[in-house]
Amino acid sequence: MIEELAFAAWSRRGGAGAAPVGGRPTTDVAFELRDDRESVPSLLRFAQPGPADVRALQPGAIRQVVPPPGDRDADEEHCPYVELATEDLPWRYGLTDGGPPRPWLALVVGEPSDVTVAGDRATLGTTTQADHDLVRVRLWAHVQRPRTASAGSGFSRVVSPARLLADRDYVAALVVPWKDGGPAWDGSAPAEVLCLHSWTFRTGAAGTFDDLALQLHAADNDEVGTVKVAFGGEEVEVPGALTTLGFTWDPIEPGSPARDHDVLTVETDRQGREYVQPPAYGDAWVGHAEVRAEVEAARPLPDAQWPWTAQVNADLRVRAIAGVGLQAGIDLQEQIVAAADAQWGQGRWTADLIGSLALGTAAAEAQWRRRLPADPASQLGLLGPAAHRLPVDDHPTATSLAGALGEPEPGSAAYPVGLLGPQVARAVGRDRLRDAGGQVELQQRAAEGLPVPARPKDDIATGADPWEVEAGHLDGLGHRLEQTSGGATSAEEVDRTLRGVLNELEVPIVVDVEPTDPPRRVRPEAVVDVLVAGATSGSARRRVTGRLTGHDDEEPLAPLRDCPDIDLPAWPYVRDVVPHWLLPGAETLGPGEVVAMRTCPEFVEAFLLGLNHRALGELSWRQHPVAVGCTPLRRFWDAAPDDGEPETAGEDVQPVRRWLDGSRLGSHAPAGVRAERLVVVVRSELFRRYPRTLLFLAPHTPGTGFADRKPDLARPVLPRSVSAMGPDLTMFAFDRDPDVVDDHWVVVQEMPEGIRFGRTVTAADSAAWAKANLDKPLRVLLEGPATVGVSG
């Protein structure tokens, strides 16, 4: 981008003005006066608006200012400036002294004691005046355009030549430096001028971007990545959340103080009461006895074969990490409980409603059971008419209990005993009935209560439609059944009466049944059992629970339990409270050192086990209805999922209840989530003072040696997250395997707030000055493999 810029010394529509008149630029217009006899050449001079005619700038006239307003860490080595939206604004009202027009705007910068702004007036002290000698005013403004663009397509810039000091406050003011056609100051006394725009900023500590960037280098052989912990006089190394790429868990020799299988031993006092024991990490999900048994079973096994329950309890290195997580749960308990309560929200109100609903449903079922008649026949008479209104959810075709009882299993014939009312019809296995002339349609009409033609039986002899006649008999069957049920005294009598009535039906029905498979009919007692069950529990419960969502499908009316999903990354606690566990040995990194590390999944899982162990205990103590087996905190780092990624992409562990029996610690990342990631750590103030600076990885091009391979900047690998670990310590986390650094460059790229100009080169005009003092962005390349050479 820098290579494509072009600069012009000035731009003014209509060209340069002539000698000023009354402080205004003038323009001469030559013309000729003619009549019939002669022609007289003439010259007319027009006065144009000048600096004294300006009162303010329109909104949008200023594109940006550098440094930005309020900046507390500005670079003292580069010139402050104002960018204006149009090319010719700095010279539009400018005066001339015989050469190109002079800018009518100037940017002055000075300390607050020497530059004061009140409203639209600025008072400049003599020091600021001396830093802005108007003799060189033409060098302070220029035009910038793309190299191939035409005039009028660029914008203009007004620069301050003032030399700044480190760690100072400054006031910048865009002023009109002319008065009555001459300079508004000469350095002899304070001067008051028109101020069109102003802002303040502060320079940072001494040193430029280049100074800090050129300090970057691969870390020396510093001891980072592990904590030395003493157990019983023996010192062992325990990894931090960030550790070296080559760290491995060394086996613990039998008899080592760091290997303790008796840590969960239960002891009792003389009264048989158990002593207070250390926490059994995992018992909230597996069970205390099961955890103790798995730890005991791991005793004869090599520690490389221990399941995660034994690792986190019997390997005291891992147990130390879990203890840090448990302490975090104590320190963060108020924040955790508040987050869980905020998520529970109206859940408590919903739980009360569902509890009342469950009580009402149980009371209704109990009332049905107490008030039902004792004998089956009376139950059939009471419940039969409701069969067509009782819904069924698990039947392939029927929607009511009446329809379901009317459809026997394939290969059998049955009649719907107990389905009383005008909707009753004889039923056989669907798709197994052979008929002629549409008798099934007539039966269905009768069953649905639709009108069917009823004719006398002797109409058959006169040629009437026999199927219409028998449909009328079907309709009569329903009435007979109603009357019969009202006076029946037993199920056997109802069955006998129905059989006799059914025999009067003279519809020729052929049922396709194998000779060896006799027809089966539904007994009245079975119908009564189904009706009673549907009335007392099934139907009512389905109607009620069918309107509930977001509950347990197996127990929809069970008391609600909460499993909060607390979005609380844990690593800031480690950084702020126990930083030696985040990156052990970070204090040994010197200024400018860059080191490649990796995340340690064993540390993350052990820490989160301790944290969740304590969080569940605290939530239960506070009587929060937390669900059994819940894992409310599943994030250690704070990399949120990108668009299109599942929510679990921002989590570091699966819920503990999903951890497989016998699985190893560090193997429980959610599907699609990388457990070990590359992290580049830099000790430098560069990223604090210049927060827009980029650090990324670039693959190398083929070559014989790493130094001969150039970075492929067209395929950058950008960090997933950038986090400050301290005032001068920054980590860049990449969603890549740690060994990716072996064939990549580590690239630090300057991204300035805007174009920057130094003050070191003098020039004949402002275009040459801008080109000579333009400061190009800096890029620093570090060989990736060199950043890994750090001892563990």
Side-chain angles (χ1 to χ4, degrees):
M1 179 185 69
I2 295 296
E3 301 295 336
E4 297 176 355
L5 298 181
F7 299 100
W10 62 280
S11 176
R12 188 171 184 271
R13 287 173 288 181
V21 175
R24 293 184 174 88
T26 58
T27 301
D28 293 337
V29 178
F31 61 94
E32 188 175 345
L33 297 175
R34 296 181 181 178
D35 59 17
D36 295 339
R37 294 177 292 179
E38 59 181 331
S39 174
V40 179
S42 301
L43 184 67
L44 187 61
R45 176 162 292 174
F46 293 91
Q48 300 176 2
D53 298 312
V54 177
R55 291 293 176 266
L57 293 177
Q58 292 287 353
I62 296 176
R63 285 172 34 122
Q64 72 164 339
V65 298
V66 176
D71 190 355
R72 307 301 296 171
D73 203 11
D75 184 356
E76 80 278 8
E77 294 294 328
H78 295 98
C79 298
Y81 62 79
V82 174
E83 284 184 359
L84 303 171
T86 55
E87 274 196 3
D88 70 329
L89 184 55
W91 303 274
R92 188 179 301 169
Y93 311 117
L95 304 176
T96 183
D97 54 4
R102 294 176 297 185
W104 65 276
L105 290 172
L107 178 65
V108 296
V109 177
E111 296 186 41
S113 60
D114 207 54
V115 177
T116 59
V117 177
D120 62 351
R121 311 303 294 181
T123 301
L124 312 181
T126 56
T127 301
T128 301
Q129 295 178 33
D131 290 340
H132 301 81
D133 187 354
L134 293 178
V135 173
R136 301 191 303 273
V137 70
R138 283 189 175 90
L139 296 178
W140 304 345
H142 60 262
V143 176
Q144 177 180 312
R145 306 187 188 107
R147 184 171 296 279
T148 59
S150 59
S153 61
F155 59 90
S156 54
R157 183 180 291 112
V158 180
V159 180
S160 171
R163 295 191 176 276
L164 310 181
L165 300 176
D167 202 21
R168 299 287 182 91
D169 290 315
Y170 285 97
V171 177
L174 185 64
V175 302
V176 177
W178 309 105
K179 186 175 182 180
D180 299 331
W185 63 77
D186 58 10
S188 60
E192 184 179 270
V193 293
L194 176 65
C195 178
L196 302 176
H197 186 74
S198 66
W199 75 98
T200 61
F201 63 89
R202 183 179 179 85
T203 54
T208 65
F209 181 95
D210 294 5
D211 297 333
L212 296 174
L214 293 176
Q215 287 182 355
L216 298 179
H217 63 281
D220 299 327
N221 199 30
D222 302 295
E223 293 187 0
V224 296
T226 58
V227 178
K228 288 183 171 59
V229 180
F231 294 108
E234 179 180 341
E235 193 174 65
V236 296
E237 288 188 337
V238 182
L242 296 177
T243 190
T244 57
L245 272 62
F247 175 82
T248 57
W249 290 87
D250 295 329
I252 303 178
E253 298 297 329
S256 170
R259 179 173 179 166
D260 189 355
H261 286 78
D262 298 328
V263 69
L264 300 181
T265 299
V266 176
E267 299 182 8
T268 58
D269 60 12
R270 294 179 179 179
Q271 286 76 32
R273 297 173 298 183
E274 293 184 358
Y275 293 153
V276 176
Q277 296 291 312
Y281 295 111
D283 65 350
W285 303 272
V286 180
H288 193 94
E290 287 80 357
V291 170
R292 189 184 308 154
E294 291 193 8
V295 171
E296 183 64 25
R299 184 187 297 270
L301 297 176
D303 54 359
Q305 299 178 15
W306 291 355
W308 67 266
T309 45
Q311 280 183 279
V312 78
N313 287 289
D315 187 336
L316 298 191
R317 298 173 299 178
V318 185
R319 191 172 180 87
I321 300 172
V324 179
L326 187 142
Q327 182 62 47
I330 297 174
D331 295 341
L332 300 175
Q333 62 185 16
E334 297 300 331
Q335 190 174 350
I336 292 172
V337 172
D341 287 343
Q343 286 193 20
W344 184 231
Q346 295 184 352
R348 187 171 288 104
W349 173 73
T350 305
D352 292 341
L353 290 180
I354 290 182
S356 300
L357 189 61
L359 178 62
T361 303
E365 294 173 0
Q367 185 177 20
W368 267 107
R369 292 191 179 93
R370 289 196 309 269
R371 293 174 177 261
L372 268 178
D375 62 286
S378 299
Q379 293 176 353
L380 182 65
L382 176 64
L383 300 175
H388 70 281
R389 300 196 307 272
L390 295 177
V392 292
D393 300 329
D394 54 354
H395 197 280
T397 57
T399 58
S400 69
L401 184 59
L405 292 173
E407 292 190 6
E409 297 178 355
S412 65
Y415 53 86
V417 179
L419 306 185
L420 311 180
Q423 290 80 16
V424 176
R426 184 177 184 183
V428 295
R430 182 163 294 187
D431 298 330
R432 304 182 63 81
L433 180 67
R434 298 199 304 269
D435 62 38
Q439 64 189 34
V440 176
E441 179 181 357
L442 293 176
Q443 293 176 18
Q444 290 176 346
R445 290 178 62 83
E448 296 173 3
L450 300 176
V452 295
R455 299 181 183 178
K457 191 173 184 179
D458 57 3
D459 284 351
I460 298 177
T462 60
D465 187 344
W467 312 122
E468 294 183 358
V469 174
E470 300 306 339
H473 285 229
L474 283 173
D475 192 42
L477 173 61
H479 294 289
R480 289 287 299 275
L481 292 174
E482 277 188 317
Q483 298 169 5
T484 302
S485 67
T489 58
S490 67
E492 289 76 8
E493 184 175 351
V494 172
D495 185 27
R496 185 169 54 253
T497 302
L498 290 174
R499 187 182 306 115
V501 173
L502 192 62
N503 290 334
E504 299 177 4
L505 186 64
E506 297 181 3
V507 177
I509 298 177
V510 180
V511 180
D512 185 10
V513 181
E514 296 294 333
T516 58
D517 187 8
R520 180 183 62 83
R521 60 187 177 83
V522 180
R523 296 293 301 168
E525 293 86 348
V527 176
V528 171
D529 292 341
V530 174
L531 288 173
V532 171
T536 58
S537 61
S539 175
R541 185 177 291 271
R542 283 195 299 270
R543 286 176 180 269
V544 170
T545 60
R547 300 185 180 186
L548 300 179
T549 59
H551 56 79
D552 187 347
D553 293 334
E554 296 181 358
E555 297 184 72
L557 294 180
L560 286 185
R561 311 300 292 178
D562 183 35
C563 184
D565 183 7
I566 301 177
D567 186 11
L568 181 65
W571 85 270
Y573 169 87
V574 183
R575 175 196 62 192
D576 299 335
V577 180
V578 283
H580 54 282
W581 283 106
L582 179 59
L583 178 59
E587 65 280 359
T588 65
L589 294 174
E593 288 195 325
V594 181
V595 59
M597 310 295 290
R598 68 172 176 89
T599 58
C600 182
E602 293 88 354
F603 180 98
V604 169
E605 292 186 7
F607 183 94
L608 291 178
L609 269 175
L611 177 61
N612 281 281
H613 180 96
R614 175 59 187 174
L616 292 176
E618 187 64 28
L619 289 172
S620 299
W621 177 259
R622 304 284 186 101
Q623 299 184 1
H624 187 94
V626 63
V628 176
C630 178
T631 309
L633 296 125
R634 299 189 295 277
R635 293 181 62 191
F636 184 85
W637 307 105
D638 58 358
D642 293 334
D643 294 339
E645 289 185 331
E647 288 296 326
T648 55
E651 300 174 358
D652 294 293
V653 296
Q654 302 178 47
V656 179
R657 62 182 179 181
R658 298 181 188 172
W659 294 13
L660 299 178
D661 295 341
S663 59
R664 296 281 296 174
L665 203 66
S667 64
H668 306 116
V673 175
R674 202 180 308 274
E676 292 187 4
R677 304 168 191 154
L678 174 68
V679 177
V680 176
V681 180
V682 182
R683 169 81 72 184
S684 176
E685 292 187 351
L686 180 68
F687 300 98
R688 178 184 62 82
R689 294 193 57 191
Y690 303 94
R692 298 180 71 245
T693 303
L694 296 181
L695 185 147
F696 58 93
L697 305 178
H700 58 61
T701 58
T704 56
F706 203 97
D708 299 327
R709 304 172 185 177
K710 296 181 179 180
D712 186 355
L713 299 176
R715 295 187 296 144
V717 179
L718 299 178
R720 181 69 177 266
S721 64
V722 180
S723 305
M725 302 169 63
D728 62 346
L729 197 63
T730 310
M731 68 174 180
F732 299 82
F734 296 85
D735 192 16
R736 296 295 182 91
D737 290 330
D739 57 4
V740 72
V741 75
D742 291 338
D743 56 4
H744 280 68
W745 292 88
V746 178
V747 183
V748 177
Q749 173 70 58
E750 181 180 12
M751 296 294 290
E753 295 291 338
I755 302 298
R756 303 180 311 174
F757 299 94
R759 311 179 186 86
T760 58
V761 182
T762 59
D765 58 48
S766 60
W769 181 94
K771 183 177 180 179
N773 288 284
L774 179 63
D775 192 358
K776 297 181 180 180
L778 181 68
R779 180 182 296 135
V780 177
L781 302 177
L782 299 174
E783 296 181 10
T787 65
V788 184
V790 179
S791 70

